[in-house]
Amino acid sequence: MSEAQIPTSLRREGWAMLDCLATLFANAGHEVTTLLDERLIDQDCRNKLSAQGLDFNLLVQSLENRAKSTSRQVTLKAWNQLALNSDLTLVIAPELDGILQECLAELSRHGVKLLNCREPFLTAACDKWITAQKLAAHCVAHPSTWLVCDFPLQSIDLAQRWCLKPRFGAGCEGLMIASARDVPKIVEQHLSTSDQWIIQPWIEGRAFSCSTITDRHGADHWLPLVTQDLNVWQEPWKDAFVVWRLSYHGGRIDFEPSQQRPIDLLDSALCALRKPLVENFSQLDLANVETLGWIGVDLLQDLNGNWIVIEINPRMTTSVIGLSGAANSNLGQLMIDGFFGKLAHNAGGSLVDFNHSL
């Protein structure tokens, strides 16, 4: 994927997360170094990062390098050189186009110490079809899901509107909502042979996310609920259909007593994706070291108050920005402590206190 193909929204969220995490790690007393692609950074970003005392190197994508290898190969080579000289590395990347998996696989192959989830949990969470299958197999509340190419059109009456989205995507990129009337034509005319799309009934409700810091022992330390404020609009698609699109417009930490975190559901969701790991290893610690660091779960509370898992994000999520601003402890340091197994597991309790007035 070229720089021109990176959605503006993802680029904006990526920069925000980088800025937040660099500040957290630096404030905790760590030396922070990052690598910035010269094509994706402007002078304002350079000045801001320099003012924070962040050590950064510019990745110069020369015409010679571009002719010999892909942009991603150049980036990964530079990342490897930097990471191998670091004590710990955290990758911020989307699932889009397999970017996250490829980056982590390459760094893992070189023995880099990563504060990220890895295989096979990574594949289960990055692929929305595999996620749906695992959640269904373990009876975790999740929308009914089909591959578009296998969708039984006789099921169209189950919902008035349907959600179609790429199996491998990040955020709301590519997602569209179509009426039950249009879905058969969309499937037959444009997606009938596609195994890269999934389809689910659209469920009305309130969107939330809940993140955990998972330590090296596999213990999940859940943070507060965060609302997901989504903008909805209509636009034409393929010059024949009108579909609804979504975009993420931020959120807020929800401290309302009526919005208690559905901890059992959250635990069950991650357990469902981890389950094959536990069965394949004799020691729990060896299995759960593949789930490490920050993991986000997208949730929906339907109109009847029922909680439903929508997606699992095996990576850093934008909610870290708001959560870190309200936390009375440094979330960056807590992730590092989790990597080294130094977090106390508080069953049913909170890992960190938050300022409810923010």
Side-chain angles (χ1 to χ4, degrees):
M1 176 177 288
S2 69
E3 66 273 20
Q5 294 174 300
I6 301 174
T8 301
S9 61
L10 293 185
R11 186 182 301 185
R12 185 168 56 244
E13 289 181 37
W15 276 116
M17 285 186 279
L18 173 62
D19 180 42
C20 174
L21 288 162
T23 301
L24 288 174
F25 293 139
N27 287 346
H30 302 286
E31 181 180 343
V32 185
T33 305
T34 190
L35 190 66
L36 305 176
D37 193 314
E38 64 171 356
R39 299 164 300 168
L40 302 178
I41 182 172
D42 58 27
Q43 190 59 47
D44 287 341
C45 291
R46 296 188 197 194
N47 292 340
K48 184 175 183 181
L49 294 174
S50 296
Q52 292 174 320
L54 178 67
D55 181 16
F56 66 89
N57 301 314
L58 283 181
L59 174 62
V60 180
Q61 299 273 9
S62 68
L63 293 176
E64 180 182 359
N65 281 338
R66 294 185 194 185
K68 292 180 179 179
S69 59
T70 67
S71 173
R72 196 180 301 182
Q73 289 172 332
V74 172
T75 300
L76 283 174
K77 181 178 180 180
W79 277 16
N80 270 314
Q81 293 174 345
L82 179 62
L84 287 172
N85 291 312
S86 303
D87 296 319
L88 194 58
T89 298
L90 173 63
V91 172
I92 303 172
E95 302 93 319
L96 201 66
D97 196 33
I99 294 173
L100 179 62
Q101 289 170 275
E102 182 177 345
C103 291
L104 295 178
E106 179 68 11
L107 292 170
S108 295
R109 189 170 67 85
H110 286 83
V112 172
K113 293 182 179 179
L114 285 163
L115 188 52
N116 289 87
C117 294
R118 292 182 287 285
E119 299 293 356
F121 181 89
L122 191 62
T123 289
C126 287
D127 186 333
K128 294 176 177 59
W129 173 234
I130 294 179
T131 297
Q133 290 178 294
K134 290 186 178 294
L135 294 178
H138 293 89
C139 300
V140 177
H142 181 67
S144 300
T145 306
W146 294 267
L147 286 176
V148 167
C149 59
D150 294 331
F151 179 60
L153 291 178
Q154 63 269 26
S155 298
I156 199 65
D157 292 335
L158 292 175
Q160 295 181 340
R161 291 195 289 177
W162 290 81
C163 180
L164 297 103
K165 52 186 165 182
R167 284 176 62 173
F168 305 95
C172 298
E173 294 300 323
L175 180 150
M176 60 183 177
I177 304 162
S179 68
R181 178 195 61 207
D182 289 338
V183 165
K185 292 181 181 179
I186 291 175
V187 171
E188 291 174 350
Q189 296 176 14
H190 300 286
L191 300 173
S192 60
T193 60
S194 175
D195 63 356
Q196 299 301 302
W197 286 74
I198 62 169
I199 183 169
Q200 300 167 326
W202 175 253
I203 302 173
E204 297 287 348
R206 295 183 65 193
F208 295 86
S209 69
C210 196
S211 301
T212 178
I213 296 175
T214 303
D215 66 28
R216 70 177 300 105
H217 303 302
D220 294 313
H221 304 269
W222 293 103
L223 302 172
L225 284 171
V226 177
T227 65
Q228 290 190 319
D229 299 331
L230 303 174
N231 187 36
V232 184
W233 75 96
Q234 286 185 315
E235 68 175 24
W237 186 71
K238 300 292 185 182
D239 298 323
F241 309 98
V242 174
V243 299
W244 291 266
R245 298 287 192 179
L246 300 180
S247 61
Y248 175 68
H249 277 224
R252 61 180 177 79
I253 303 174
D254 200 320
F255 291 119
E256 295 179 18
S258 61
Q259 297 295 350
Q260 295 295 318
R261 296 168 301 174
I263 296 294
D264 289 345
L265 177 66
L266 292 164
D267 286 340
S268 296
L270 293 194
C271 181
L273 268 68
R274 290 171 173 149
K275 193 68 172 179
L277 299 181
V278 177
E279 292 174 350
N280 290 337
F281 290 95
S282 59
Q283 294 182 17
L284 187 62
D285 284 357
L286 291 177
N288 281 337
V289 76
E290 307 302 338
T291 53
L292 188 65
W294 192 278
I295 301 173
V297 180
D298 291 339
L299 298 158
L300 183 78
Q301 189 175 41
D302 69 16
L303 300 181
N304 295 318
N306 300 312
W307 286 100
I308 302 167
V309 173
I310 301 298
E311 293 179 8
I312 296 174
N313 302 303
R315 55 171 170 79
M316 186 56 57
T317 60
T318 314
S319 60
V320 68
I321 300 167
L323 289 167
S324 65
N328 293 324
S329 300
N330 187 309
L331 296 186
Q333 184 60 50
L334 291 178
M335 285 189 281
I336 292 175
D337 289 344
F339 178 87
F340 291 107
K342 296 180 180 179
L343 290 182
H345 181 54
N346 300 319
S350 297
L351 176 66
V352 58
D353 293 326
F354 286 81
N355 186 343
H356 290 219
S357 65
L358 296 180

